Amino acid sequence: MNYWLMKSEPDGFGIDHLQARPKRTAPWDGVRNYQARNFLRDGMRKGDLAFFYHSSCAAPGIAGIVKIVRAGYPDHTAWNPDGEHFDPRSSPANPIWYMVDVQLVREFRHPITLAALKQHPALRHMKLLQRGNRLSVLPVSAPEWNTILKMEKSARQP
DNA sequence: GCCAACGTTGGC
DNA sequence: GCCAACGTTGGC
């Protein structure tokens, strides 16, 4: 099993939106970056876990945990000319973009802020924290994953 | 709103 | 294949 981090803007699709979905499940569509696409298509497996990260907001940080419940499959929003994620180069015969389905596992009562992540020495080398990183889908190492879970636990039971 | 950092595009 | 211009991301 592998661990990941997936970014979304809470104003567009936040963890509360996922919570409100039937079966708390939604497709993670609209990714239009090749490196992130490769993680979605080739890296993620059903059963993998990911942090749900809120970006471009007042308090950026990790808001909860999701599970990959369907591995990579073609992102059909690229084929809708009226949609905001339309890409005329992609077709059902030759899809360019991929998505996965995620299911909410748990929403953090106390989100782990980006500022808190930056302060933790064990997370110094986390991809999320490297300068200039803009990928919306990132791998997380097992030690990093466990460190963050501990941070969340201690925030929960001080 | 600003700006740094990065990815993509397209001319040559 | 190079590289300048442009667009996007995302923290602050």
Side-chain angles (χ1 to χ4, degrees):
Chain A
M1 148 142 77
N2 290 308
Y3 298 111
W4 307 92
L5 181 144
M6 306 171 83
K7 299 180 187 172
S8 189
E9 300 185 14
D11 290 346
F13 187 84
I15 201 162
D16 290 335
H17 295 95
L18 184 58
Q19 173 80 259
R21 289 276 187 137
K23 297 184 188 173
R24 307 204 296 178
T25 297
W28 199 273
D29 59 19
V31 172
R32 296 293 180 266
N33 168 284
Y34 286 102
Q35 238 181 307
R37 187 279 309 267
N38 293 345
F39 286 135
L40 292 172
R41 187 187 60 183
D42 310 325
M44 286 185 171
R45 294 291 171 262
K46 188 175 172 180
D48 284 358
L49 296 174
F51 288 128
F52 193 125
Y53 181 89
H54 281 165
S55 66
S56 297
C57 56
I62 296 171
I65 296 172
V66 299
K67 186 199 292 186
I68 310 306
V69 292
R70 182 176 174 187
Y73 61 105
D75 182 346
H76 53 73
T77 66
W79 308 331
N80 175 12
D82 301 322
E84 55 178 326
H85 298 304
F86 178 60
D87 183 346
R89 299 169 304 164
S90 183
S91 68
N94 275 67
I96 296 180
W97 305 114
Y98 281 72
M99 58 190 180
V100 298
D101 287 353
V102 301
Q103 180 175 43
L104 183 63
V105 172
R106 187 157 68 85
E107 183 168 355
F108 290 166
R109 206 182 318 156
H110 301 286
I112 307 300
T113 63
L114 177 61
L117 294 172
K118 281 179 174 173
Q119 275 184 345
H120 203 296
L123 301 177
R124 238 181 353 241
H125 302 297
M126 202 181 170
K127 281 209 168 67
L128 175 74
L129 305 181
Q130 302 315 305
R131 88 184 330 232
N133 159 65
R134 300 184 313 168
L135 270 188
S136 63
V137 179
L138 295 165
V140 173
S141 75
E144 289 162 355
W145 181 272
N146 292 325
T147 295
I148 293 166
L149 284 192
K150 280 181 200 157
M151 292 169 76
E152 195 270 335
K153 190 173 182 184
S154 58
R156 191 154 28 101
Q157 349 174 295

